[in-house]
Amino acid sequence: MQYVSTRGQSDPLSFTKAVATGLAPDGGLYVPMDLPDLRPFLKDWEGLGYADLCEEFFKLFATDLDPVVLKQCVRDAYLDFSHPDTAPLKTLEKGLHVLELFHGPTLAFKDFALQLLGNLYEAQIQRTGNPINVLGATSGDTGAAAIHGLLGKEGVNIFILYPRGGVSALQERQMTCTRADNVYAIGIDGTFDDAQNSIKEVFGDLEFRHSAHLSAVNSINLARVLAQCVYYIYAFFRLPEEERENLTFVVPTGNFGNVLAGWWTQKMGLPVKGFHIATNQNDILYRLFTTGKYEVHSVHPSSAPSMDIQIASNFERFLYFHEGQDPARVREIMSQFRDSGQYTFADFNRDTFSASRATDADIQAHIRDIHEQYGYVLDPHTACGFQNLPESGTRVVLGTADPAKFPETIELSIGEHPKSPRLEELKAIEPCSYVLEPDPESVKKFIHEHITS
């Protein structure tokens, strides 16, 4: 299978080359040239465990990767997940479930993709002999998951930018308390969008990108989205057959990658009715899917910090398919959005999608209500999914993080202070972090100094 840029001005690449490249040279994002039809495989896949399902799914996409290497990458990715089901489906009542995606090493859904991506990078180094320097930005969970996916891997350095004061204290400790020599957690005075914009400019300097052996770990990397597709298929198979019709996945999202993965599985033939996009008060996606207007506002810090985003990186992949896989239209729309900070779609199709926005007060109310009604504790991001839930059919809310990562909000909501042994261990470790201005020249200088020292 070949992968093309959403902007159509870069050569098609194989899976391994697209993963290694990250951001396309023309500034676009890699997507499959054509999405495969999953329907011939679904019956055979239904009884598979998580790792086996992931391996079978990736065989359709990683066609240039040695099957033996793929199997090992996938198997190793999920060894450190604490639940035997890897992604257990928790039933609150008939027709309402939470898909728990927080049993990985950093207690967040990003582990599903980033444990695998780390193994793919390691296999690439072994195959080519070339080192890799991984660069990414995070609004909270991506950084920790990316770092832990690359800990101890030879030939890899990882540089993660995050907004100082814009992630939870425990999220920051997960990035800064690794004691690993190949990890550089870099705080910036700015927002996630500032960090992401700087990184895109760094990747836009093709000479520097090649000389520094840069690769991307953010959801701009193709493998991230593909790995997240798997848990939608897995969840579908764990539902009783009578609940598989009229199914809506409720997806807390800020960067659009999580819901894009689900939408791709629908386009590939998984029989899903729709997707409910749950945002916090930074609601660019809510506004888009209710008005057709994509417009940047200021970022307002919230109690669901991983969604404190205004520019959704993966929206461009959605746009590519929404516009009939027409890269010229994508370039036109993205250019207008870059110049004006907004774009209005005259014929935006919202049939598959609904959306909601939750304030901090809403988040606390949902944590309290769900705890009182079901004895179940939500993290603040998952709580956004309970705002204006679809009233009919089967609802599967994606549980994106362990509530122990956000103890202050949980305590404010229900008077309990959740803890996790993995997180408690971090409190005894001295953090190691760096501080940079969020501009591409500062980032390039920092990377150059640390990979040559």
Side-chain angles (χ1 to χ4, degrees):
M1 178 178 286
Q2 293 286 294
Y3 297 86
V4 296
S5 169
T6 51
R7 301 190 187 182
Q9 295 178 320
S10 296
D11 293 335
L13 297 179
S14 67
F15 173 81
T16 56
K17 289 183 178 179
V19 171
T21 303
L23 189 71
D26 61 5
L29 306 181
Y30 286 109
V31 293
M33 188 174 288
D34 293 294
L35 292 170
D37 186 354
L38 300 183
R39 287 172 293 183
F41 306 99
L42 292 178
K43 184 177 180 180
D44 292 335
W45 288 357
E46 180 159 359
L48 298 179
Y50 196 90
D52 290 330
L53 176 62
C54 185
E55 180 186 350
E56 292 301 315
F57 179 80
F58 266 84
K59 284 179 181 177
L60 304 178
F61 295 92
T63 52
D64 66 325
L65 185 62
D66 183 331
V68 175
V69 174
L70 173 63
K71 178 184 284 288
Q72 194 63 53
C73 286
V74 172
R75 298 283 165 170
D76 291 349
Y78 302 109
L79 290 177
D80 198 22
F81 280 62
S82 61
H83 197 285
D85 289 340
T86 310
L89 193 67
K90 173 73 174 181
T91 299
L92 300 185
E93 62 182 51
K94 184 176 181 180
L96 179 60
H97 312 267
V98 177
L99 180 63
E100 293 187 342
L101 301 175
F102 48 76
H103 295 285
T106 71
L107 311 181
F109 78 98
K110 304 293 179 69
D111 288 323
F112 280 86
L114 289 165
Q115 289 293 304
L116 177 57
L117 182 58
N119 293 341
L120 292 172
Y121 279 142
E122 186 173 45
Q124 178 190 331
I125 293 169
Q126 292 171 352
R127 186 172 61 250
T128 66
N130 296 324
I132 298 175
N133 293 298
V134 176
L135 176 62
T138 185
S139 56
D141 289 326
T142 291
I147 285 168
H148 284 262
L150 293 168
L151 284 178
K153 297 191 184 298
E154 291 189 13
V156 182
N157 291 305
I158 179 165
F159 301 84
I160 294 292
L161 275 63
Y162 67 93
R164 290 202 299 163
V167 300
S168 80
L170 286 172
Q171 284 176 321
E172 185 170 24
R173 280 195 166 271
Q174 285 184 306
M175 292 185 282
T176 62
C177 296
T178 65
R179 295 174 170 165
D181 293 336
N182 68 331
V183 172
Y184 300 92
I186 304 167
I188 66 161
D189 291 322
T191 66
F192 166 80
D193 293 319
D194 295 327
Q196 181 83 307
N197 289 337
S198 293
I199 284 174
K200 286 186 175 181
E201 290 194 41
V202 172
F203 275 97
D205 184 339
L206 298 185
E207 182 178 349
F208 179 81
R209 188 205 294 198
H210 294 145
S211 67
H213 300 284
L214 282 190
S215 192
V217 75
N218 279 56
S219 54
I220 60 176
N221 194 298
L222 170 77
R224 283 277 307 275
V225 181
L226 292 177
Q228 290 172 241
C229 291
V230 178
Y231 49 68
Y232 286 93
I233 304 169
Y234 188 78
F236 177 82
F237 289 142
R238 262 109 199 113
L239 288 168
E241 285 197 28
E242 67 271 15
E243 291 192 46
R244 294 179 186 178
E245 295 183 6
N246 200 17
L247 167 62
T248 298
F249 281 102
V250 181
V251 189
T253 188
N255 219 11
F256 204 77
N258 207 8
V259 72
L260 175 75
W263 184 64
W264 274 5
T265 65
Q266 184 197 52
K267 289 182 69 65
M268 289 185 270
L270 191 70
V272 177
K273 175 188 175 184
F275 300 89
H276 184 80
I277 296 169
T279 73
N280 64 9
Q281 60 199 23
N282 296 291
D283 58 356
I284 186 171
L285 295 175
Y286 166 74
R287 288 180 277 115
L288 170 65
F289 284 98
T290 53
T291 70
K293 190 172 185 178
Y294 191 55
E295 182 179 22
V296 173
H297 289 178
S298 298
V299 172
H300 300 286
S302 77
S303 58
S306 296
M307 295 157 64
D308 289 348
I309 296 170
Q310 280 295 308
I311 302 174
S313 299
N314 269 286
F315 177 66
E316 185 167 336
R317 283 190 171 109
F318 169 78
L319 184 63
Y320 176 79
F321 287 98
H322 182 271
E323 297 297 321
Q325 297 177 253
D326 182 352
R329 277 287 293 152
V330 174
R331 293 196 303 271
E332 175 189 344
I333 293 170
M334 294 306 295
S335 176
Q336 182 172 327
F337 178 70
R338 183 180 61 248
D339 293 342
S340 66
Q342 62 179 7
Y343 188 88
T344 300
F345 295 85
D347 58 347
F348 197 62
N349 181 359
R350 296 187 291 275
D351 291 345
T352 301
F353 296 95
S354 58
S356 59
R357 72 182 299 273
T359 65
D360 280 359
D362 293 327
I363 288 170
Q364 290 186 30
H366 291 308
I367 293 171
R368 182 173 58 253
D369 292 346
I370 296 302
H371 184 254
E372 290 177 354
Q373 190 169 356
Y374 303 107
Y376 190 78
V377 182
L378 304 170
D379 90 282
H381 305 80
T382 307
C384 293
F386 287 82
Q387 181 79 3
N388 297 335
L389 269 177
E391 295 181 358
S392 61
T394 300
R395 290 78 45 88
V396 174
V397 182
L398 269 59
T400 58
D402 191 309
K405 298 184 78 168
F406 308 94
E408 294 85 2
T409 301
I410 306 305
E411 190 163 24
L412 282 172
S413 304
I414 61 174
E416 295 182 8
H417 192 92
K419 292 183 178 181
S420 163
R422 293 194 194 224
L423 297 176
E424 291 302 306
E425 292 172 0
L426 298 176
K427 295 179 180 179
I429 301 174
E430 186 67 26
C432 176
S433 63
Y434 304 84
V435 178
L436 277 184
E437 291 299 315
D439 65 81
E441 294 307 315
S442 297
V443 174
K444 287 190 286 188
K445 181 181 178 184
F446 183 91
I447 292 172
H448 177 75
E449 289 174 349
H450 286 83
I451 65 176
T452 57
S453 63

